[in-house]
Amino acid sequence: MEETLTHSEAAMEKEEPLHDSESDSESDSDSDLELSLQIQSLEAELAVNPSHYDSHFQYIKVLRIMGDVDKLTKARESMSQLFPLSPSMWQEWIKDELSLKPDFSAVLNLYERALFDYLSVSLWCDYINFVQEFDSIAGTSKVRDLFESALAAAGLHISEGSQLWESYRLYEQAILLTIDESDTDAKDKQIQHIRTLFHRQLSVPLADMTSTLTAYKIWEAEQGNDLHEVDINPHVASSYQKALDMYNARKHFEQQICSQEDIPDSQRLQHYLNYLKFEQSSGTPARVQVLYERAITDFPISPDLWLDYTRYLDKTLKVGNIVSNVYCRATKNCPWVGELWVRYLLCLERSHASEKDLAKVFEKSLLCTFSTYDEYLDLFLTRVDGLRRRMTSTYEEDLLDYKIIRQTFQRASDYLSPHLKNTEVLLHLHAYWAHLEAKLGKDLTAARGVWENFLKICGSMLEVWKGYITMEVELGHINETRSIYKRCYSKRFSGTGSEDICHSWLRFEREFGKLEDLDHALQKVTPRLEELKLFRIQQESKLAEENENNPKRNARDKRKLGPDITDEQSPAKLLRDAGRNPTKAPDENKHQVQNSSEVTKVEVINQKNNISDNLNEQHSTTRKSRAYSDQHTAFISNIHPTANYEHIRNFFSDVGGVVAIRILHDKFTGKSRGLAYVDFIDDEHLASAVAKNKHRLLGKKLSIARSDPKRGGKETSDPNALKEHVSKETDDTSKEDGKVSSKKRGNDNIQLKGKNTFAVPRNVRPLGFPANKPKAEEEGDEKPKSNDEFRKMFIR
C-alpha cells in the first residue's frame, strides 16, 4: 500500500484539471467507450473489495477525466470515509469544487477535513487565502485566529513554516496601510503588533533565518528606527542566536529528510527516526509533534511510526482531543494493527468519552482483519476492562448494565474458542468472565455455567479445573469444591497433572475439610496414586526396553558401542530357538504364551508333563498369528467391571462345555470394557448359554447372544487388547489326562484406570484353536466336530 500511495500521488500531480484541453481532446467515441468499460471494471472491483485503496484512486482518476461530477463527488466521499486523502488529492477536490460551483460553506468544510488528515503548510495557506477572498463578513479577528491556528499547527515546521509567518506579517502590514495617519494610537498599536510577529518568528528555528533578520531591520528602518539599535537589543539578539543555534544543530537532519535524491524509503524513514530521537532529547513536545506529523505525511502506513507517535503523545501531551484525533487517523491509515485500536479505546476512556463513542470505535475495530487472534482477545479484554471500570465508577452517568459485559464476553468466547483451544489466553478470558459474573453480576449460577461450558471445550486441561476450583474456594463454597475434585481426580491429564490434582485434593481437605472428608479423599486418591506410579514405572521400562531393542542405531552409536558388543543373541532369535527346542524350558510345569507387544499373556499350568510338551510345541507355532472362528462362541455385554474369569465360568457352570473365556480390556488403561467372548465345545452348550440371556451376574443383567464375526467385517488379530482365560471342561477322559487352567500373572500388566476407553478388536483366538473358517463351513458344509475329536485336536 505504501508504494500505491507514492505512485498515486505522483500520478495526481501529473494529472490536469477537470476541464483542461487534454480532456477535451479525448472526447471521441472510442476513448469514451474505453473509459466507460474501465469505470465498470473498477466499480465491480470496489463492490467485491471496498477497502482496496488503488481501486478507489483509479476510479476517481477516470471519473475526473470523464467529467462525471456527481459520481466523482460520491467516489471521493466514499474513499475519504475509509482512508485519509493526501494533501494533493484534497487540493484537487477543492479546486474542482471551486471551478464548478463555488459554494463557500462546502469548500470551507473540505478545507477543514483536509487539514485534519495530514499536516500541510500549503493547505493552510490556501485555506487562509480562500477565507480572505470569499468570506466577505470575515473580520480581522477571524483571520487572525486562522493565522494563529496555522502557526500552532505548522509554525514550527523548520523547512516550510516561514511561509505562514511571512503571510501573517504581510496581512498585518496591509492593515497598517489602511489606518489613517491621524489615528496615531491605532497606528502605533498595529506597528507594535507587527514588531511582535517579527520577534516571535526570530525566536523560532526556521530555514533562512538571516533573511528574516534582514527584513526585520529594513522594516524597523522604515519606521524611523536606527538599524544598529536592533543589534544591541539584548532580547532580540539572544532569542535570535538561540534559534539560530537550534537550526544549525538540525540542519543536517533537514537536509537528509528533504533531500531530492532518489534514496530508498526505508533509508529515508530511518532519517526521520534519527531526527525524532534527537528532537525528543531536547524535551520540546510541540516541536516533536510537528516532526511526527511531517513523518506520517510522508509515511502514512508505517505502523511503527504511528505506534511511536501515539505512545509519545500518551506519555507527554495527554490532551484528550488532540490525542484522540491522532488515534483516529492512525486507525484509518493502519486498521490492521490491533494495538492501535486497543490504545484508541483507552485514550477515549481517559478523555471521558461517552459510551456511544466507545461502542462505535469498538464495533468498527471488529470489522478489521488482524494478523493474530491474540489481537482480537486483547481488544475484547480492553473493552470489558473499560465496561467494568464504568460499572464500579462513583459517577452516576458512568453506570452501565452488566448485560453489556456478558454480551461482550459471549461474543469473545464464540469467536475465539474455535481458534484458541487449550491455550492459556482462552483460560484467562473465561476465568475473568466467571469472576465478573460472580462479583459484578451477582449471579453464581451464571459464573458456574461459564466454567461448565468451558470444560466442554477444554476439559482435558488441568488448569481449567484448577480455575473452577479456585473460584469456588474464594467464594467459600467447600462442598461444591469437593464435588469438583471428585469429578476430576480420576481424569487423565498431561505430564504430572493427574498426580497434581490428587495432591491438590488432599491439601484442600486438610485445610478446609473434616477428618471424615480427609479419610474419604485418601481412600479415593491413594489407589489412584499407586496406579499412576506403577503406570509411570511401566512406561519407563517399556521405553528403556524399546531403546535397548531398537535395531536402528546410527553409525556413531555402533562405533561407540563396538568394543562392548557381545555375542549374545537377539531376543527375537532366542524366541525362535525356544520354539524349535520347547523341551529346554526352565520350568516344565509352567508355560507362557506372550504376544509381540508383551501386553496380553496367557499362562497355562499343566499337571501332566506329556500334555505340557505337546501344548508347548503347539504354542510356538501359533505365536505369530492367532484368530478365532467364533463357531460356538457367545458374545456377552453389560458385564460388571469387576467381574473376572472365575465369575463367568461359575455363571456357566450349569451349562458346561466352556472352552475359553476372553474378557475385553482397554489397551491403554487395562480396565474392563464390560464385554467378553465365551467359546463352547459345541452348539448344544452354546444354545444353553444363550438361553441364560438377561440373567444377572454381580447385580448386572447380562446380554448374551451368539457371536457373529461376519458382522464385524475383516478380523485382524490384536492380542494387545485382550486377556485370555482357557479352560477345558472335564469329562472321563480329561480327568485321566489332566486339566488345563489359567491364571492371571501378577503385576506384569499394570491397569491404569481412567475415563477414556477405546474400541479394541476381539479376534484373538485362544491357544490351540483353529483359525477362522470360511462362511460356507460355518453354515454347515462341514459337520461340527464331536467332543472327542475336539478334545484330541486341542491336546495335539
Side-chain angles (χ1 to χ4, degrees):
M1 185 175 176
E2 185 174 343
E3 294 181 0
T4 302
L5 281 172
T6 304
H7 296 319
S8 301
E9 292 177 15
M12 274 295 191
E13 291 178 358
K14 296 178 182 179
E15 187 180 334
E16 295 296 329
L18 191 63
H19 294 297
D20 58 10
S21 59
E22 182 180 351
S23 298
D24 296 337
S25 65
E26 295 178 353
S27 60
D28 56 276
S29 59
D30 293 339
S31 298
D32 291 343
L33 179 60
E34 182 180 354
L35 292 174
S36 298
L37 293 175
Q38 191 174 357
I39 289 174
Q40 293 177 3
S41 175
L42 290 170
E43 288 176 347
E45 291 180 10
L46 291 174
V48 175
N49 186 9
S51 299
H52 192 258
Y53 184 92
D54 195 52
S55 297
H56 279 283
F57 176 79
Q58 295 297 332
Y59 186 45
I60 292 173
K61 179 180 178 181
V62 175
L63 289 176
R64 193 164 186 265
I65 296 175
M66 289 286 292
D68 193 335
V69 179
D70 293 335
K71 279 190 174 182
L72 180 60
T73 302
K74 293 180 180 179
R76 281 168 166 164
E77 289 289 350
S78 177
M79 185 176 182
S80 65
Q81 294 298 321
L82 296 173
F83 308 103
L85 303 185
S86 64
S88 60
M89 294 180 70
W90 281 112
Q91 287 173 327
E92 288 173 350
W93 188 353
I94 294 170
K95 184 178 181 180
D96 292 342
E97 289 291 331
L98 291 174
S99 64
L100 295 173
K101 185 179 180 180
D103 185 354
F104 175 77
S105 59
V107 175
L108 193 66
N109 182 47
L110 289 179
Y111 269 119
E112 293 175 352
R113 290 169 58 186
L115 294 171
F116 177 81
D117 280 351
Y118 295 110
L119 175 65
S120 174
V121 174
S122 60
L123 266 175
W124 273 109
C125 293
D126 293 343
Y127 180 30
I128 296 172
N129 293 335
F130 169 78
V131 172
Q132 294 183 65
E133 181 178 357
F134 290 93
D135 191 357
S136 58
I137 60 174
T140 303
S141 60
K142 182 177 181 180
V143 176
R144 283 176 174 169
D145 290 341
L146 284 178
F147 272 118
E148 291 295 336
S149 299
L151 292 178
L156 298 178
H157 194 303
I158 291 183
S159 60
E160 300 179 6
S162 57
Q163 299 178 28
L164 293 172
W165 290 99
E166 292 174 2
S167 298
Y168 196 179
R169 288 202 324 267
L170 291 175
Y171 174 75
E172 295 295 343
Q173 289 175 0
I175 293 176
L176 179 61
L177 296 177
T178 61
I179 298 176
D180 188 76
E181 292 291 339
S182 59
D183 192 355
T184 56
D185 292 339
K187 188 174 181 179
D188 292 340
K189 184 178 180 179
Q190 185 62 23
I191 290 174
Q192 186 59 37
H193 191 72
I194 297 173
R195 182 178 290 112
T196 302
L197 274 177
F198 269 117
H199 291 175
R200 289 172 60 188
Q201 183 179 357
L202 289 172
S203 64
V204 177
L206 298 171
D208 202 12
M209 293 187 65
T210 56
S211 300
T212 304
L213 180 60
T214 302
Y216 175 45
K217 292 179 178 181
I218 295 174
W219 180 81
E220 286 286 358
E222 291 176 352
Q223 309 309 316
N225 297 322
D226 189 1
L227 292 177
H228 298 286
E229 292 182 2
V230 179
D231 296 333
I232 62 175
N233 189 318
H235 175 71
V236 175
S238 175
S239 299
Y240 172 77
Q241 187 60 46
K242 183 179 179 180
L244 184 60
D245 293 340
M246 293 174 65
Y247 172 74
N248 291 331
R250 292 160 176 76
K251 186 175 181 179
H252 70 285
F253 290 113
E254 289 289 335
Q255 291 174 350
Q256 288 178 338
I257 64 175
C258 299
S259 175
Q260 301 298 324
E261 297 180 2
D262 187 12
I263 60 175
D265 288 341
S266 59
Q267 184 177 349
R268 192 155 172 258
L269 177 59
Q270 187 60 45
H271 291 329
Y272 265 113
L273 297 177
N274 296 336
Y275 195 179
L276 284 166
K277 186 177 180 180
F278 171 80
E279 199 66 74
Q280 289 175 7
S281 63
S282 66
T284 308
R287 190 173 293 108
V288 175
Q289 185 183 359
V290 169
L291 186 56
Y292 267 119
E293 290 291 342
R294 294 173 61 185
I296 62 174
T297 301
D298 290 343
F299 298 95
I301 58 170
S302 173
D304 294 336
L305 194 58
W306 281 108
L307 289 170
D308 288 342
Y309 185 18
T310 53
R311 190 179 295 113
Y312 176 79
L313 292 179
D314 288 335
K315 182 176 63 175
T316 58
L317 196 58
K318 299 181 181 180
V319 179
N321 292 335
I322 295 178
V323 181
S324 61
N325 289 341
V326 173
Y327 273 113
C328 180
R329 293 187 289 138
T331 52
K332 287 181 70 175
N333 279 282
C334 302
W336 64 89
V337 182
E339 185 179 353
L340 285 174
W341 289 102
V342 168
R343 287 159 55 179
Y344 190 7
L345 289 173
L346 294 175
C347 172
L348 291 175
E349 187 179 356
R350 291 189 195 99
S351 60
H352 302 287
S354 64
E355 171 59 24
K356 182 179 179 181
D357 293 338
L358 284 164
K360 182 179 179 181
V361 172
F362 176 68
E363 294 298 331
K364 189 176 179 181
S365 66
L366 294 180
L367 300 177
C368 302
T369 303
F370 303 131
S371 58
T372 63
Y373 289 106
D374 290 339
E375 291 179 279
Y376 287 100
L377 176 66
D378 196 15
L379 194 62
F380 278 112
L381 291 177
T382 302
R383 173 64 171 157
V384 171
D385 293 341
L387 293 172
R388 175 189 60 79
R389 284 188 286 265
R390 291 205 166 197
M391 280 201 66
T392 57
S393 174
T394 56
Y395 299 99
E396 294 184 0
E397 62 271 14
D398 288 340
L399 296 180
L400 301 171
D401 188 0
Y402 179 77
K403 189 183 298 183
I404 302 176
I405 296 180
R406 180 177 296 148
Q407 292 173 352
T408 306
F409 270 122
Q410 189 63 56
R411 292 175 67 184
S413 178
D414 294 343
Y415 181 74
L416 297 174
S417 294
H419 309 289
L420 294 177
K421 277 189 176 181
N422 290 356
T423 60
E424 294 293 336
V425 290
L426 197 59
L427 173 61
H428 171 67
L429 175 70
H430 286 80
Y432 190 17
W433 184 3
H435 173 74
L436 293 186
E437 288 285 357
K439 295 296 184 181
L440 291 183
K442 308 297 182 183
D443 191 344
L444 185 58
T445 303
R448 289 172 177 160
V450 171
W451 283 114
E452 294 293 342
N453 291 332
F454 189 39
L455 285 174
K456 296 177 182 178
I457 302 173
C458 301
S460 61
M461 286 180 62
L462 175 63
E463 292 76 10
V464 179
W465 291 95
K466 285 186 174 180
Y468 196 178
I469 290 170
T470 301
M471 184 194 76
E472 294 290 358
V473 171
E474 289 177 352
L475 296 175
H477 299 153
I478 305 303
N479 293 332
E480 288 76 6
T481 306
R482 185 175 294 114
S483 65
I484 298 174
Y485 274 117
K486 291 179 180 179
R487 289 170 57 188
C488 67
Y489 85 96
S490 60
K491 288 186 174 293
R492 298 173 60 187
F493 300 109
S494 60
T496 61
S498 301
E499 291 91 340
D500 294 343
I501 197 65
C502 292
H503 294 303
S504 177
W505 187 7
L506 295 178
R507 285 196 303 271
F508 167 77
E509 295 296 354
R510 283 197 298 267
E511 296 175 5
F512 299 97
K514 300 177 182 178
L515 181 59
E516 294 80 0
D517 299 324
L518 178 60
D519 292 340
H520 178 72
L522 284 170
Q523 184 181 1
K524 292 287 187 180
V525 167
T526 302
R528 175 64 173 165
L529 290 174
E530 292 177 355
E531 293 170 2
L532 292 169
K533 182 178 180 181
L534 292 175
F535 178 73
R536 305 294 182 199
I537 295 174
Q538 184 186 27
Q539 294 299 313
E540 292 175 0
S541 62
K542 285 184 178 180
L543 182 61
E545 185 176 354
E546 290 176 0
N547 293 336
E548 181 180 353
N549 297 333
N550 184 15
K552 297 180 179 180
R553 286 187 179 141
N554 56 39
R556 186 176 66 177
D557 292 337
K558 288 184 178 181
R559 288 193 299 269
K560 186 182 297 183
L561 299 175
D564 299 327
I565 294 178
T566 64
D567 294 333
E568 277 190 9
Q569 295 178 340
S570 66
K573 190 172 187 302
L574 290 174
L575 278 176
R576 290 196 297 271
D577 294 341
R580 297 191 189 98
N581 303 289
T583 59
K584 295 182 180 180
D587 188 354
E588 295 182 356
N589 294 328
K590 188 173 184 179
H591 303 275
Q592 298 181 359
V593 180
Q594 184 171 346
N595 56 26
S596 59
S597 65
E598 297 185 9
V599 176
T600 305
K601 297 182 179 180
V602 179
E603 297 184 1
V604 180
I605 303 178
N606 303 294
Q607 296 178 357
K608 300 288 186 176
N609 289 337
N610 56 346
I611 296 179
S612 172
D613 295 337
N614 292 334
L615 282 178
N616 199 14
E617 183 177 356
Q618 180 70 17
H619 295 172
S620 64
T621 60
T622 60
R623 236 178 231 144
K624 295 182 180 179
S625 175
R626 306 193 319 171
Y628 292 101
S629 62
D630 283 2
Q631 281 187 326
H632 314 296
T633 303
F635 172 69
I636 309 172
S637 60
N638 199 35
I639 301 174
H640 196 279
T642 61
N644 56 27
Y645 303 104
E646 293 297 329
H647 293 134
I648 298 176
R649 184 171 62 251
N650 294 335
F651 179 79
F652 289 113
S653 60
D654 57 336
V655 174
V658 175
V659 176
I661 300 172
R662 291 167 281 153
I663 298 177
L664 275 65
H665 293 77
D666 182 79
K667 65 180 179 180
F668 295 102
T669 65
K671 189 176 180 180
S672 172
R673 294 174 55 203
L675 306 173
Y677 292 89
V678 181
D679 295 332
F680 293 90
I681 198 168
D682 54 28
D683 282 338
E684 294 180 3
H685 289 85
L686 176 60
S688 299
V690 174
K692 297 192 69 173
N693 185 35
K694 303 302 181 183
H695 287 206
R696 293 182 179 274
L697 173 63
L698 299 180
K700 297 197 70 173
K701 190 180 293 185
L702 301 183
S703 177
I704 307 174
R706 185 185 183 98
S707 176
D708 186 4
K710 295 185 293 297
R711 293 177 60 187
K714 184 178 179 181
E715 299 185 0
T716 59
S717 68
D718 186 3
N720 296 338
L722 296 176
K723 289 185 178 181
E724 190 177 330
H725 184 84
V726 181
S727 67
K728 186 74 173 60
E729 187 68 22
T730 60
D731 53 17
D732 295 338
T733 306
S734 64
K735 288 178 182 178
E736 296 175 359
D737 295 336
K739 295 184 291 183
V740 180
S741 63
S742 68
K743 63 181 179 178
K744 188 166 58 176
R745 184 177 179 184
N747 293 338
D748 279 346
N749 186 31
I750 306 303
Q751 299 183 15
L752 178 60
K753 296 180 180 180
K755 297 297 183 182
N756 299 332
T757 58
F758 303 90
V760 182
R762 58 172 172 75
N763 51 348
V764 180
R765 65 187 179 89
L767 184 63
F769 279 73
N772 291 348
K773 297 290 185 180
K775 182 177 181 182
E777 293 182 10
E778 292 186 3
E779 294 177 352
D781 289 353
E782 178 178 331
K783 294 182 179 180
K785 291 180 174 59
S786 65
N787 291 352
D788 292 339
E789 292 174 340
F790 196 93
R791 177 177 54 78
K792 291 176 181 179
M793 180 199 70
F794 178 76
I795 296 174
R796 184 169 64 252

